[in-house]
Amino acid sequence: MQIGYARISTHDQNLDLQKDALTASGCENILTDVASGAANDRDGLSQAMEQLRASDVLVVWRLDRLGRSFKHLIETVRTLQARGVGFRSLTEGIETESSGGRLVFHLFACLAEFERSVIRDRTRAGLAAARARGRRGGRPAALTNEVVALTRRMHADPAHTAADICRALGVSRATLYRYLKQHAILPPSCSTVPYAVKRSLDVDQ
């Protein structure tokens, strides 16, 4: 049994072209979706996958109608193959029931793995180059040394509440309190907010 799957991205587009091609190819049932290719939830595809049985064939008009990405396309076809289900794409003339079609998808899988390997290598090289220049990965510090010095002076002035300091620096209260401890403005062993700071927080709430 051949089950067709057709997808368009918006309601402004039309499914007729795909459905006509799938019907002409011998599909007895056609499931459809109106969804972006990047969408995770596609009811039509889910229903098609549920209906497919061993020796059935999933048919699409074009490869990009099935996969959200190259990786997703490969994973979907591998899932079908593991269930004994064939796959056919009309536009590219690919069918996994033939030895030639299976070879094409083996090549696709190799290319996908090659792409992932290149991305990993580039990421490692970029991090190594950044470390060589004295940079480290992760989020930048919210408070620079100059700002910490300003924070120290503002915190020492009773006229400034914690909320005042947060607004001036553009940071959250949690960030402010963490930096107060890290830079010895508050004792490291301090497990609670001091009364003066706590009072200002309570008032702001």
Side-chain angles (χ1 to χ4, degrees):
M1 178 178 179
Q2 296 187 63
I3 294 180
Y5 173 69
R7 179 184 62 80
I8 54 176
S9 299
T10 68
H11 288 282
D12 295 335
Q13 298 174 334
N14 196 303
L15 285 163
D16 290 347
L17 173 64
Q18 296 180 54
K19 293 172 73 173
D20 288 347
L22 293 171
T23 299
S25 73
C27 291
E28 302 173 32
N29 187 18
I30 299 175
L31 286 305
T32 65
D33 275 317
V34 179
S36 164
N40 290 321
D41 297 325
R42 287 190 270 172
D43 292 338
L45 180 58
S46 297
Q47 292 175 29
M49 297 295 282
E50 290 176 2
Q51 293 181 20
L52 288 162
R53 299 293 181 266
S55 76
D56 287 346
V57 180
L58 177 66
V59 186
V60 297
W61 174 61
R62 199 170 63 195
L63 287 176
D64 64 356
R65 299 300 87 192
L66 177 64
R68 296 194 308 269
S69 63
F70 197 28
K71 178 183 177 182
H72 179 250
L73 175 65
I74 298 299
E75 290 174 348
T76 302
V77 174
R78 281 179 169 171
T79 298
L80 294 172
Q81 291 178 327
R83 294 170 51 188
V85 175
F87 171 73
R88 188 177 303 161
S89 178
L90 302 178
T91 301
E92 291 84 3
I94 294 174
E95 51 182 315
T96 59
E97 305 101 291
S98 68
S99 58
R102 287 191 294 271
L103 175 60
V104 169
F105 256 92
H106 283 314
L107 292 175
F108 278 6
C110 289
L111 288 172
E113 178 56 35
F114 173 73
E115 182 182 33
R116 288 192 292 270
S117 177
V118 169
I119 292 173
R120 285 194 299 266
D121 289 345
R122 285 178 179 171
T123 301
R124 293 192 188 109
L127 291 173
R131 284 193 294 268
R133 291 174 173 81
R135 300 173 187 168
R136 295 183 178 180
R139 296 173 61 183
L143 302 180
T144 63
N145 290 335
E146 293 80 4
V147 176
V148 168
L150 174 61
T151 304
R152 188 187 298 273
R153 291 195 297 272
M154 292 181 68
H155 184 262
D157 185 347
H160 295 296
T161 67
D164 292 334
I165 301 174
C166 288
R167 279 192 293 269
L169 302 179
V171 298
S172 67
R173 295 171 181 174
T175 297
L176 172 64
Y177 184 50
R178 183 172 67 252
Y179 273 83
L180 289 175
K181 293 178 65 175
Q182 286 178 354
H183 294 274
I185 301 174
L186 292 179
S189 60
C190 181
S191 58
T192 58
V193 180
Y195 175 75
V197 177
K198 183 177 187 301
R199 182 173 59 83
S200 67
L201 296 181
D202 291 340
V203 169
D204 290 329
Q205 292 173 349

